Amino acid sequence: RFLGCELWRPLAGLSYSMYLLQFIVMRQLEKPFLVYVAPGLPDDAPLWLVAVVAYVAAALLIVGCLPLALLNYTFVERPGVKVGKWVVARLTQGASKSRGCTVGQKFKDVVGKLGSEGADEGAAENPADVEEGED
């Protein structure tokens, strides 16, 4: 219930974009981190200090990814999903007009035929090879 509330939806939408862009941001933050922060830590630094530095680096990575992920989500991911849905709708519409039935119904018919032929015979036949007029 906690993760299903509306508060998390924007972050959930950005999560895939952040995943894709994390390596780019990591490369950009890596050199300044290694040049300025790592040499400042003494060799005998306490574990808590090393942990704090690691958590700050992770927080910087997240903060660095957020703006790029937002741009990627807005201008690449969302339009891509819309185009994909449009293409699927057009293909489904064209298939249902040309065959006189829906693609889902045709799939159910092919699967039903394979299931009724028996496990050994039906498993060898490719559903794509079943002819259109075969009943």
Side-chain angles (χ1 to χ4, degrees):
R1 291 204 164 243
F2 176 70
L3 292 177
C5 71
E6 290 289 323
L7 173 72
W8 298 110
R9 290 200 186 246
L11 187 60
L14 291 176
S15 65
Y16 185 67
S17 291
M18 287 181 71
Y19 165 72
L20 291 176
L21 297 169
Q22 71 179 336
F23 300 106
I24 295 170
V25 174
M26 196 180 314
R27 288 300 234 177
Q28 298 303 317
L29 293 176
E30 181 179 43
K31 188 172 182 178
F33 185 79
L34 292 175
V35 169
Y36 298 112
V37 177
L41 284 175
D43 290 337
D44 59 344
L47 183 59
W48 66 267
L49 182 60
V50 174
V52 167
V53 169
Y55 280 115
V56 168
L60 285 175
L61 178 67
I62 292 169
V63 169
C65 275
L66 266 173
L68 293 175
L70 183 61
L71 290 172
N72 185 55
Y73 180 74
T74 303
F75 296 113
V76 177
E77 194 174 335
R78 284 185 73 187
V81 168
K82 286 181 182 179
V83 168
K85 287 181 180 181
W86 180 81
V87 168
V88 168
R90 296 290 290 193
L91 290 173
T92 304
Q93 184 182 32
S96 65
K97 284 182 181 177
S98 67
R99 295 183 181 143
C101 67
T102 64
V103 175
Q105 183 61 43
K106 184 65 178 174
F107 180 74
K108 289 178 185 175
D109 293 344
V110 170
V111 171
K113 287 178 190 174
L114 291 176
S116 64
E117 292 175 359
D120 295 332
E121 296 172 14
E125 188 176 40
N126 185 355
D129 295 337
V130 175
E131 291 184 13
E132 185 104 7
E134 198 177 305
D135 284 331

